[in-house]
Amino acid sequence: MDTITMIAFPSSLAALISRLPAYPPSLTFATAFNLTVWKSLQDLEWEALQDRRFCVAVRDTGIKLWFSMATSGLKAETAGQADVTFTATLLDFTRLALRLEDPDTLFFNRRLLIEGDTDLGLRVKNMLDGVEFETLLESFPSVLGRLVNQVRKQGMA
């Protein structure tokens, strides 16, 4: 078993979190994304995704992140109707982000759900799959990039 494991998220805390406003965590996620990996991704073909609404639902935590694509990266949104929703556990999203897990494997094992406009969801997945992890790391501030790389290497051990 790899070293990237997590303790089960308390369901009572998840129930509380799911009642909180969606905008603050969405803004935090969009800001972190735009300050780090957007530099590596901004040259991809994002035009077809402009103004489309996305939701990332972290099943075991109760957190839902809402955002859309803008020319400057992700734009935080309030809760509402999404064109496509990606749902998985915190561990599975972490493993996806660190490229320790293949999204197709998670999808076919029903650990990653893509609901709504699945064509849009698959387009996003394929675009992100085409970017090398090392390229993404180059966008991170050096200390953060080293930390993320170290966590990834430990997860691969």
Side-chain angles (χ1 to χ4, degrees):
M1 181 171 214
D2 62 54
T3 58
I4 301 286
T5 58
M6 294 185 180
I7 298 171
F9 200 85
S11 59
S12 57
L13 184 56
L16 174 66
I17 290 171
S18 69
R19 291 184 176 98
L20 296 174
Y23 190 75
S26 298
L27 180 62
T28 302
F29 176 78
T31 301
F33 180 92
N34 292 338
L35 290 173
T36 55
V37 298
W38 179 246
K39 290 181 242 172
S40 294
L41 301 176
Q42 63 188 356
D43 292 333
L44 296 178
E45 299 294 321
W46 295 107
E47 290 81 22
L49 307 180
Q50 295 292 315
D51 301 318
R52 302 295 298 270
R53 287 181 50 99
F54 300 87
C55 177
V56 173
V58 187
R59 182 183 303 124
D60 55 339
T61 66
I63 293 173
K64 288 186 178 178
L65 305 171
W66 301 83
F67 53 88
S68 59
M69 288 303 309
T71 55
S72 59
L74 295 184
K75 176 184 169 197
E77 300 284 351
T78 58
Q81 185 68 29
D83 293 303
V84 65
T85 299
F86 300 93
T87 304
T89 64
L90 181 59
L91 177 60
D92 285 335
F93 277 130
T94 301
R95 293 182 57 75
L96 279 172
L98 293 172
R99 302 283 175 96
L100 297 173
E101 193 79 56
D102 177 58
D104 292 328
T105 300
L106 290 179
F107 180 78
F108 289 115
N109 288 322
R110 297 180 185 206
R111 291 171 43 204
L112 172 65
L113 301 176
I114 302 174
E115 299 170 294
D117 186 341
T118 54
D119 181 53
L120 176 64
L122 292 173
R123 185 179 307 161
V124 171
K125 180 202 80 71
N126 291 335
M127 285 173 58
L128 295 176
D129 277 352
V131 178
E132 293 295 324
F133 187 78
E134 290 72 24
T135 302
L136 293 175
L137 277 181
E138 291 172 7
S139 296
F140 282 71
S142 61
V143 172
L144 183 58
R146 287 194 300 272
L147 177 64
V148 168
N149 200 34
Q150 182 179 1
V151 169
R152 181 174 186 255
K153 286 180 181 179
Q154 288 176 352
M156 294 169 58

